[in-house]
Amino acid sequence: MSDDSTGIPMILPEEQAGQRLDAVLSQLLPETSRSRIQTLVRDGRILVDGVVEKPSARIRGGEQVEINWPEIEPSTWLAQDLPLHILYEDADILVVHKPAGQLTHPGAGHADGTLVNAVLAHVPDNAYLPRGGIVHRLDKDTTGLLVVAKSEMARQSLIDQLGDHTMHREYLALVMGPMTGGGRVDAPIGRHAHDRLRMTVRDDGRPAQTEYRLVERFPRHSYLRLRLATGRTHQIRVHMTHIGHPLVGDPVYGGRMMVPQGLDEVALAHWRQFRRQALHAWRLRLYHPESGALMTWESPLPEDMTELLTLLRHARDGH
């Protein structure tokens, strides 16, 4: 299956003489994003009068354009009829809620049972999209919203929005330690030097920025709303640990569990049963790849995190 069914040479409009090649082609090929066109031009897959040009080349009008669309092999990942919590779907995108305990896509030792396996059963054509149409991910035990592309045009649009930060992803988290307000963590993240399963703040890491705002404070904990400016692996978990406020329940970065004061034995048992990072992707805002409309979705806090908040409030207020 190719990106596009056209193989017929196009003639560049004379009325667009003087405009950039990539800009003109993006108008003539509305199903293909401008960044995708730029990649095809740089790869030599788009010829103008038989010649490879730069994306920024100015057209004269009347040139003949030939496009050599790359063939895309279908994914070998399994399509599995698994539960899929869909919040929104149209011809271009799918917005879903990922539960705790589910990987976003297959990895070492986990060939199936992931969100992508469920997506491929629901949208079989996504087997022809890189990574099954997934453009961002959530850690296995993080809950919340993910957007999935259903076409190459939509996929490129979503990737562009992630790159220029016009896609907003907001999270809710419970962290250890009382905080007095919000702030911003700007600290590069890279692979840990001695533990390949962990990420860490390091000078030679990739740039990473996380904004956070205090929603509710407790004697030993804080309830935060966070927004990602970048999307590094384990970013929120690493950044919160870096500033001394690791996520409640985080098995990798959390350290020793900090227990609220004033819990009775039953409440304490409930608290200790929480065995994942207390992180939820609650709001997703993006521009629709086709219409350009600004769209927003929200996913309510999952039951297990809601219960933790209830325990914290009871302990704080002496109920």
Side-chain angles (χ1 to χ4, degrees), residues 228-251:
L228 291 179
T230 54
R232 308 303 175 215
T233 300
H234 299 175
Q235 179 172 317
I236 289 175
R237 299 163 65 188
V238 171
H239 272 174
M240 289 299 102
T241 298
H242 178 65
I243 64 171
H245 295 280
L247 270 63
V248 168
D250 193 325

Side-chain angles (χ1 to χ4, degrees), residues 84-232:
L84 193 60
H85 184 178
I86 300 171
L87 279 76
Y88 176 83
E89 182 176 15
D90 61 24
D92 301 295
I93 59 174
L94 180 69
V95 177
V96 300
H97 171 93
K98 190 192 81 65
Q102 185 179 52
L103 288 168
T104 302
H105 47 65
H110 299 278
D112 57 18
T114 72
L115 181 69
V116 169
N117 298 117
V119 167
L120 292 177
H122 183 71
V123 191
D125 281 352
N126 269 34
Y128 290 96
L129 294 177
R131 306 186 78 76
I134 298 283
V135 296
H136 64 119
R137 62 185 288 273
L138 295 176
D139 295 337
K140 178 181 177 183
D141 287 324
T142 298
T143 55
L145 297 172
L146 272 168
V147 61
V148 183
K150 293 176 64 178
S151 70
E152 178 61 15
M153 179 277 293
R155 192 180 77 88
Q156 287 295 329
S157 171
L158 296 175
I159 289 172
D160 290 347
Q161 291 183 56
L162 283 167
D164 62 20
H165 313 312
T166 52
M167 181 189 297
H168 291 171
R169 294 166 291 160
E170 296 184 50
Y171 293 74
L172 296 171
L174 272 170
V175 302
M176 291 190 270
M179 301 177 76
T180 56
R184 177 184 174 91
V185 184
D186 189 345
I189 291 176
R191 188 73 60 181
H192 195 282
H194 306 297
D195 185 348
R196 304 305 293 171
L197 299 178
R198 292 167 62 98
M199 307 299 288
T200 190
V201 169
R202 50 188 296 170
D203 291 340
D204 61 349
R206 299 177 70 190
Q209 298 89 35
T210 305
E211 299 172 0
Y212 63 92
R213 185 160 69 89
L214 180 65
V215 177
E216 192 170 358
R217 184 171 57 189
F218 303 94
R220 293 184 173 183
H221 300 84
S222 299
Y223 181 34
L224 305 180
R225 182 179 297 168
L226 307 102
R227 194 168 99 177
L228 291 179
T230 54
R232 308 303 175 215

